[in-house]
Amino acid sequence: MFGPIAAYWIYSGIYEWFGCMDKYRLHSKKEEDNNNLVSKRDVIIGVLFQQAIQASLTFLVMQINGNSSHTNKIPDTEILICSARFFVAMFVFDTWQYFVHRYMHSNQYLYRHVHSWHHRVVAPYAFAAQYNHPIDGIVTETLSGAVAFFISGMSPGTSVIFFIFATIKGIDDHCGFMLPWNPFHVLFDNNTAYHDIHHQVKGHKYNFSQPFFVHWDKLMGTYASFTSLDVYEYLPSLQLLPEHQSKNNKTCSQLPSPKFYQKLKAADYTNMSN
């Protein structure tokens, strides 16, 4: 129950140590500090509050599962069974998050009052990965885990590993760094740069998939590559990617001024994302 929480702060803390590695940043440190619409103090408080809710609900789910004689009849003692359940959980987790996430954007009321909290972080950083409105945290994050757990039939032990893995992957998607030696960037098309597109104004209607695969975006017509929207013009460090190095040799500009990001507040922010 507390494994994913510990992993969250340890792994995001490691990324904080990378602060001086500017050439791998998608956004400069100045942009991270000045252009986001929520303070890091409020982010920490919001994440801790959400994690308290998640821990409580996880304890409840485990109690329900412990009292059920129909769940997980076959123990995860064989690698093949364990791996199959793990993959099923990944697929279910992604499916829930894609469609709920996309609906949060298409429903103006939910976006303005609920999901826009997460998009206050325009220049993502590691420990802001789980910064959400409490309702968004429960509906999008917590319920996706519960559904994945029950449908996959994972044992409690396997589920701990799964949720730690999902937590680390979610942090990596928001870390703000494109590190060439990071295995997540090699193994997953859904990575830091891919999700960062969604946090930019031009990308709000794209790349809803999280945290593992991109198949739902491709199937539902919401997939955007790093160059298709010219989002790279706002992400200087994306010139490190082969896709950008080969596109007309354009020079990336800096992010818009802080005044630009003030337009993302309230009604203006809602209109720009729909």
Side-chain angles (χ1 to χ4, degrees), residues 19 30 106-107 127 157 215 218 224 230 241 243 258:
K30 182 178 179 181
S106 63
N107 185 301
F127 66 83
H215 61 279
K218 290 185 175 181
D230 285 339
L241 298 175
E243 293 93 329

Side-chain angles (χ1 to χ4, degrees), residues 156-178:
T158 302
S159 69
V160 170
I161 298 173
F162 173 79
F163 290 125
I164 289 175
F165 177 64
T167 297
I168 291 175
K169 182 63 173 62
I171 293 169
D172 203 80
D173 292 346
H174 292 82
C175 70
F177 290 89
M178 279 298 294

Side-chain angles (χ1 to χ4, degrees), residues 108 111 205 263-274:
Q108 291 192 13
Y111 184 85
K205 296 180 181 179
K263 296 179 182 179
L264 302 183
K265 290 185 177 180
D268 288 341
Y269 187 61
T270 302
N271 293 334
M272 296 175 75
S273 63
N274 289 281

Side-chain angles (χ1 to χ4, degrees), residues 94-112:
D94 258 31
T95 300
W96 181 282
Q97 293 219 1
Y98 175 84
F99 287 101
V100 173
H101 185 193
R102 186 173 179 179
Y103 184 70
M104 286 284 184
H105 276 266
S106 63
N107 185 301
Q108 291 192 13
Y109 180 86
L110 287 177
Y111 184 85
R112 181 173 184 178

Side-chain angles (χ1 to χ4, degrees), residues 231-250:
V231 177
Y232 70 97
E233 293 179 1
Y234 299 105
L235 301 176
S237 295
L238 283 187
Q239 60 186 304
L240 297 172
L241 298 175
E243 293 93 329
H244 296 159
Q245 293 173 343
S246 63
K247 185 169 181 177
N248 300 327
N249 294 319
K250 291 185 178 180

Side-chain angles (χ1 to χ4, degrees), residues 79-138:
I79 296 297
L80 183 61
I81 295 175
C82 182
S83 299
R85 286 174 170 164
F86 202 94
F87 182 81
V88 168
M90 292 172 68
F91 177 79
V92 174
F93 197 79
D94 258 31
T95 300
W96 181 282
Q97 293 219 1
Y98 175 84
F99 287 101
V100 173
H101 185 193
R102 186 173 179 179
Y103 184 70
M104 286 284 184
H105 276 266
S106 63
N107 185 301
Q108 291 192 13
Y109 180 86
L110 287 177
Y111 184 85
R112 181 173 184 178
H113 296 282
V114 179
H115 188 62
S116 63
W117 278 39
H118 186 68
H119 283 274
R120 292 173 182 174
V121 183
V122 184
Y125 50 91
F127 66 83
Q130 291 184 2
Y131 177 70
N132 297 298
H133 188 285
I135 293 177
D136 198 2
I138 293 173

